[in-house]
Amino acid sequence: MTPDQLLAHHAALLAIPAFVPAIVVVGVVLYIARKDRLAEREENEVLRRALDSESPEKEEDE
Amino acid sequence: MSNFVAADPPPVGGAALDQVIGLSVAAGVVTLILMWIAWAHRTHRIEWFQKAGDALSARFQTPGWNIIPTLFVASSLIVALLGFLWDVSLHAGRGRDEGPLANPAHYLILYGLFALFVAGMSAVVFPRDGQKPGIASVRITRNWYAPVSGIFIAACGLYALIGFPLDDVWHRLFGQDVTLWGPTHLMLIGGAGLSTAGIIMLHREADFAAEQKGVDRPGWLDVGTLSMAFGGLLIGLSVFQAEFDFGIAQFRFVFEPMMIAIAAGIALIAARLYVGPGAALAAAIFFLLVRGIVAFLITDFFGEAENVFPLYLGSAVLIELLALSKLKDKPLWFGAVGGLAIATVGSVIEALWAERVFQFPWAQDMWVEGLAMTVPVGIAAGLCGALFALGLQGRLPKPAIGRSIMVGSVIVTALAVANGLHATVPKDAQASFQVTEVGTQSSPEILVDVELTEGLVDEHPTWVQITAWQGGGPGVVTDRLERTGDNTWRSTKPVPIGGNWKTLLRVQDGRMLTAVPIYLPADEALDAEELPTEASFTRDFIPEIDILQRERNDDHPAWLWGAANLVVLLCSLGIVMGIGVSANRIGRAIEAEGAPTDDRSTSDV
């Protein structure tokens, strides 16, 4: 190894090999979980509206 | 002399760029393949993963989401442990690295930690089609549930992996700290070590699921697997002792009995309470077997520095005997009394073992302070072990009691560690050496007669010794000096100087931890000149860290050091909380479902 050999200078660069893949995987799982939760909320909302339009008197309860 | 001592000195900075790029590409490809497998498995595009899980499941009578990660975690941890101890022995023998991957042991560690993360993720992705893996499972989507222990294992892997790049950043900011107890090093080994608790919890989740389904599993399989798992926990909790195991501890000796009591208190007491008679003993035997094999590989196969390990058998016998009493029916009391027994009688047994096996015996002057640290911490560890067992059995005490034990243990341990770290360096103290050269021209060795400043050490110092290390190859040479007068000491065997050796006189007495350099090589990368040995010379005592960790640089603002330590501390508290939260979730879920009538859970709290 020569003293002037190119060394990785940016700290973030060194983080790539081991760390980034794991973070990406965690990120993907969290994204899927959040997407599903949003979809669920939306479906519930649609369902609620459908039920509400069938029985408008219920609206007052909420 | 080994190849390591090349014409150019190893740099003190970080990785060469090509290493980083090569490894990034490899890790990226592997990750993509693994993510594709997970996606294809969950969307029924491939069936072989499910079939493999089913085949293993049929063979071991446990769900695939348990057996796949368990085998995977076990194999990853064995690789990581071998890499870790090999790495410590390389550093002890040869000094710092040329970069993170210039040292073959780092590949094993990197693989082991990455595989640990993947193993945890395999438990997360395996259950598909809305199948709930165990009663404590965590909902990810409406048809994707993951065992909480699988998530914990993946978190441990991630925590350890964060340590890897952080370690390199750390080295750049603060210089390489050639000690195991650098904060980022503790993350690397702590994450792997604590994931063993995840295996035990995962086993419990699967066990309960099998019981609910009425699967009749052979008892010996459970007892055998669990004894090994608790042995694994004992190994995991013992990794922090490694500097002492190699005879190159850079911290006060009072830490050693305390660390042994923590590991024994948690692992052995939990094993006995949860698994049953003989489990504490089996866990200790598993520990000795694995550490014995690894030590053999490193010393005799790789030819690196020797390492030894605590016995734990004495403490295991104590716990087995204690469990014959009625105390076993009151687990928390059992934990506290067991912890006390381990910290006292167990420590005496470990001291006898250390005298025969370790390079430095437990000196008389460390006992009072050592016990003052070990007893409270040992009791706390015993209580945590009992709490862990109760969580696994679904018989947790009131939340306030559990929380108090966890928080109290963290505080007691932190206080003891802070006390242990507090070391002093004497002012205006010198050592005068008379040196006799022995050995050959190419590998010079010396014998010394040394006189210390009057009154520097009392009648029973912890140690007055010469250490020579990082000379290349299996290079740690230590010599406990023989006392020839009140202030005079003499070599009992030659120690090497010259070449790349770093040779120093080390004195530890009570709180005092100090050293005098005898020979230090020139180091261009550090801009340090050679410190030669003369026929007779007098030098000042200085902080050990200035000699043992010449690579450290103090050229940074204090807030940066504080902030860096805080980040590591927060991550670490997070992972300890992770065990508490996971075990609590499992315990409460089992409690809610009604604990099954198995002999592991018939007694009262």
Side-chain angles (χ1 to χ4, degrees), chain A residues 3 8-9 14-18 22 24 28 34 37-38 48 50-52 54 57 62:
Chain A
H9 275 294
L14 294 159
I16 292 168
V24 167
V28 167
R34 188 178 149 71
R37 294 247 190 310
L38 287 177
R48 195 179 62 86
L51 287 173
D52 285 349
E54 271 173 32
E57 70 276 14
E62 299 190 18

Side-chain angles (χ1 to χ4, degrees), chain B residues 58-61 203 207 216-229 275 277 279 282 599-600:
Chain B
R59 191 177 169 86
F60 292 99
Q61 299 287 313
H203 181 277
D207 190 32
D216 190 23
R217 303 173 59 201
W220 62 266
L221 188 66
D222 260 349
V223 172
T225 317
L226 280 171
S227 297
M228 284 197 283
V275 188
D599 64 354
R600 281 195 218 126

Side-chain angles (χ1 to χ4, degrees), chain A residues 1-3 5-9 11 13-19 21-26 28-29 32-33 36-37 39-40 43, chain B residues 8 11 14-18 20 23-24 27 31 35 98 110 114 117 121 139-142 144 158 161-162 164-165 168-169 172:
Chain A
M1 180 153 232
T2 56
Q5 177 166 352
L6 185 58
L7 292 174
H9 275 294
L13 204 59
L14 294 159
I16 292 168
F19 173 55
I23 290 290
V24 167
V25 170
V26 172
V28 167
V29 173
I32 293 172
D36 183 71
R37 294 247 190 310
E40 187 185 23
E43 281 166 31
Chain B
D8 296 313
L17 196 59
D18 52 351
V20 176
L23 207 71
S24 302
T31 308
M35 282 173 75
E98 294 193 22
L110 192 60
F114 190 63
F117 172 74
M121 287 308 295
R139 194 185 83 156
I140 294 174
T141 71
R142 279 163 290 171
W144 182 5
L158 186 65
L161 280 177
I162 294 172
F164 219 90
D168 216 277
V169 176
R172 279 168 178 282

